[in-house]
């Protein structure tokens, strides 16, 4: 057991190695299972509708290798490291995966990593898989909330690789010492700057979780084979916390309740496939039009009040009003609010190469006017969004988006997530029967009863009998080429 003077890496590794299903709260168990269902559903959807990840899928299939873990949706098996990368790239690219109350994404790195390792190992119980996911979510929350983040690093990957490593190491059954080494190895792949998130025209914002999932699996497999890490990884003179955060962190808060209070229980699940910081504006827009019996055609202007992070989704304004990639569309506040105003909701079907040319949405996007409001700056928890609409006849209505579906004051139920899962599977590159989807939901809802949790993957990954092909058949929803996505 680590002492008070030991580096945080030993405390976090010890807690991860010794986590047990029996020590989890009902809320932490529920969050882990919901995150598994939610993440796997989003992976399925991404396979059919997001062209940005096709290069990653082609790359891992070209490489082949020992068939250890499932390539979801497309079928066949790959080495665990490659499967984690491919499934991780799919997990976040729709920006539909779950998020913390503070806006970053843990599960899109954790879930692909734990399933890749579980399939490679075999015989991993549902209880162990739940404990692993909860452990990763907890580590992510502890680091996310207690470091001096300046909105420069992409914490979803910088911290996510450590969370996924802790979870994957728990699945593999590494000792505390081995897990500490694994976290040190993972530091070699703790990376990602916020320009990847905020910049336009890149595919990286969508597929970044693949890199942290792959890094985590690489780390635990190397640690299992005896590769050593760094004893002073987090708190050393040139360690993670000084290098990434200028040494600003709250050690006591990181350690408080470690091993007993699993903080992933606050995970939020998205109703709409869009960046989480836009959901409040989306909700306010939908409610304003509904409450006042208005349509988008009745409006002359939609004013969106924005803090510092909201402003990233509006700059440069003209480019954000007319996004040229599906990845950018999900991070464009003007486009997302316009979709909400025109359709009264935001769905996967609203993000295709054809949708980017939807004249009704683009016309409304031109009516979006961002108004700076420093009170909405992002500090810790996701900032709310405020919207004011101005009608053609001069009436004004204003609303702050509270009670956002999926947030803690309006959580999504198992029924909601099952419906989302079914909707996601409906646009996957490979179709699944209604009965098989109901079975998967039931398996995950009762995951703690399974002797081998990888049966879930068997029901979601079609068999490929003739090995891997560098190309694959696409569904009608996924026929857009890369060039079409960059119109």
């Amino acid at each position: 057991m680590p002492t008070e003077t030991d580096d945080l890496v030993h405390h976090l590794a010890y807690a991860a190695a010794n986590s047990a299903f029996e020590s989890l709260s009902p809320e932490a168990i529920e969050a882990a299972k919901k995150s598994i269902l939610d993440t796997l559903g989003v992976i399925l959807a991404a396979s059919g509708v997001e062209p940005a990840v096709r290069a990653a899928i082609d790359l891992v299939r070209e490489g082949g290798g020992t068939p250890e873990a499932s390539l979801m949706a497309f079928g066949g098996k790959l080495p665990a490291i490659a499967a984690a990368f491919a499934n991780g790239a799919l997990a976040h690219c729709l920006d539909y995966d779950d998020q913390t109350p503070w806006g970053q994404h843990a599960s899109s790195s954790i879930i692909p990593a734990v399933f890749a390792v579980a399939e490679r190992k075999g015989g991993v119980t549902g209880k162990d898989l739940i404990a692993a996911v909860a452990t990763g979510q907890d580590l992510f929350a502890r680091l996310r909330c207690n470091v001096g983040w300046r909105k420069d690093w992409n914490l979803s990957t910088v911290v996510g690789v450590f969370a996924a490593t802790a979870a994957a190491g728990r699945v593999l059954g590494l000792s505390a010492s081995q897990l500490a080494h694994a976290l040190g190895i993972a530091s070699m792949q703790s990376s990602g700057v916020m320009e990847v998130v905020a910049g336009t025209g890149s595919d990286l914002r969508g597929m970044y979780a693949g890199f942290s999932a792959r890094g985590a699996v690489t780390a635990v497999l190397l640690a299992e084979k005896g590769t050593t890490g760094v004893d002073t990884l987090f708190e050393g003179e040139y360690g993670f916390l000084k290098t990434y955060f200028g040494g600003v962190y709250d050690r006591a808060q990181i350690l408080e309740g470690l091993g007993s209070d699993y903080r992933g229980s606050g995970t939020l699940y998205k109703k709409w496939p869009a960046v989480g910081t836009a959901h409040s504006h989306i909700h306010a827009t939908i409610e304003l039009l509904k409450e006042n019996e208005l349509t988008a055609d009745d409006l002359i202007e939609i004013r969106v009040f924005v803090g510092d992070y909201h402003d990233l989704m509006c700059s440069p304004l003209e480019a954000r009003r007319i996004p040229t990639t599906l990845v950018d569309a999900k991070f464009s506040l003007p486009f997302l609010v316009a979709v909400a105003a025109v359709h009264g909701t935001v769905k996967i079907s609203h993000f295709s190469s054809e949708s980017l040319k939807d004249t009704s949405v683009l016309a409304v996007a031109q009516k979006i006017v961002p108004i700076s409001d420093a009170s909405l700056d992002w500090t810790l928890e996701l900032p709310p969004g405020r919207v004011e609409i101005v009608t053609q006849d001069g009436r004004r209505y204003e609303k702050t988006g509270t009670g956002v579906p999926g947030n803690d004051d309006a959580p999504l139920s198992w029924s909601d997530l099952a419906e989302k899962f079914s909707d996601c599977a409906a646009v996957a590159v490979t179709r699944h029967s209604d009965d098989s989807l109901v079975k998967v939901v039931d398996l995950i809802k009762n995951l703690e009863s399974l002797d081998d949790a990888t049966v879930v993957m068997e029901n979601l990954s079609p068999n490929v009998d003739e090995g891997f092909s560098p190309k694959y058949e696409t569904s009608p929803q996924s026929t857009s080429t890369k060039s079409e996505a960059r119109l």
Side-chain angles (χ1 to χ4, degrees), residues 324-348:
T324 57
T325 71
L326 302 182
V327 172
D328 286 350
K330 300 180 191 77
F331 193 73
S332 165
L333 189 58
F335 188 82
L336 293 170
V337 169
V339 169
V342 170
H343 297 290
T345 188
V346 180
K347 295 182 177 181
I348 294 175

Side-chain angles (χ1 to χ4, degrees), residues 18 43 50 63 71 78 113 134 170-171 222 235 282-283 287 320 336 469 481:
N18 290 281
I43 289 172
E50 179 49 80
L71 173 59
L78 299 163
R170 172 64 178 80
V171 167
L222 283 173
E235 298 179 281
I282 290 171
H283 186 55
E287 293 300 301
R320 295 297 187 187
L336 293 170
S469 165
T481 64

Side-chain angles (χ1 to χ4, degrees), residues 290-309:
K290 185 188 303 181
E291 290 168 1
N292 296 287
E293 299 182 342
L294 298 169
T295 69
D297 291 337
D298 295 320
L299 307 182
I300 192 171
E301 191 171 77
I302 302 177
R303 297 175 178 175
V304 291
F305 293 84
V306 298
D308 54 0
Y309 193 77

Side-chain angles (χ1 to χ4, degrees), residues 28-320:
I29 293 170
E30 196 82 341
K33 293 193 295 185
K34 283 184 173 180
S35 290
I36 291 169
L37 176 64
D38 193 64
T39 305
L40 296 183
V42 173
I43 289 172
L44 292 178
S47 73
V49 300
E50 179 49 80
V53 295
R54 291 182 185 168
I57 302 303
D58 283 346
L59 183 64
V60 296
R61 296 181 81 178
E62 287 169 3
T66 306
E68 297 174 333
S70 300
L71 173 59
M72 282 189 62
F74 297 98
K77 291 196 172 184
L78 299 163
I81 292 171
F85 175 65
N87 294 332
L90 291 163
H92 178 66
C93 68
L94 297 185
D95 219 327
Y96 206 9
D97 48 317
D98 67 27
Q99 61 185 354
T100 72
W102 318 287
Q104 286 80 19
H105 307 270
S107 298
S108 50
S109 295
I110 294 170
I111 305 300
V114 297
F115 271 105
V117 171
E119 287 193 280
R120 174 186 161 106
K121 180 183 179 182
V124 176
T125 69
K127 287 184 177 180
D128 280 339
L129 198 78
I130 291 168
V133 173
T135 294
Q137 290 177 323
D138 179 57
L139 187 152
F140 189 100
R142 290 174 182 278
L143 292 180
R144 164 61 185 95
C145 293
N146 297 297
V147 296
W149 183 49
R150 300 185 305 273
K151 304 171 191 173
D152 45 2
W153 298 110
N154 178 19
L155 296 187
S156 294
T157 48
V158 166
V159 173
V161 70
F162 295 120
T165 297
R170 172 64 178 80
V171 167
L172 205 56
L174 297 185
S175 67
S177 175
Q178 288 174 310
L179 247 170
H181 291 312
L183 290 170
I185 299 165
S187 73
M188 302 299 294
Q189 298 173 82
S190 170
S191 62
V193 294
M194 283 298 289
E195 191 63 25
V196 166
V197 177
T200 60
S202 169
D203 293 332
L204 292 177
R205 183 181 183 278
M207 63 188 295
Y208 62 59
F211 293 92
S212 44
R214 180 180 65 184
V217 175
T218 301
V220 298
L221 295 182
L222 283 173
E224 185 183 42
K225 292 182 179 297
T227 303
T228 57
V230 183
D231 275 340
T232 52
L233 170 68
F234 285 108
E235 298 179 281
E237 181 63 27
Y238 306 103
F240 174 74
L241 291 166
K242 283 196 175 180
T243 301
Y244 283 67
F245 307 107
V248 179
Y249 66 102
D250 190 331
R251 189 178 205 270
Q253 283 299 310
I254 292 173
L255 292 175
E256 184 180 9
L258 182 63
S260 58
D261 177 17
Y262 289 82
R263 297 177 181 175
S265 57
T267 300
L268 309 177
Y269 304 92
K270 291 185 176 183
K271 182 177 177 64
W272 303 304
V275 61
T277 39
H279 282 220
S280 185
H281 288 96
I282 290 171
H283 186 55
T285 301
I286 293 171
E287 293 300 301
L288 274 174
L289 294 181
K290 185 188 303 181
E291 290 168 1
N292 296 287
E293 299 182 342
L294 298 169
T295 69
D297 291 337
D298 295 320
L299 307 182
I300 192 171
E301 191 171 77
I302 302 177
R303 297 175 178 175
V304 291
F305 293 84
V306 298
D308 54 0
Y309 193 77
H310 299 134
D311 188 59
L312 292 178
M313 299 183 284
C314 299
S315 302
L317 183 57
E318 288 310 311
R320 295 297 187 187

Side-chain angles (χ1 to χ4, degrees), residues 357-373:
K357 297 177 284 188
D358 185 333
T359 55
S360 59
V361 171
L362 294 176
V364 174
Q366 293 297 318
K367 301 177 182 179
I368 307 296
V369 178
I371 308 294
S372 294
D373 183 345

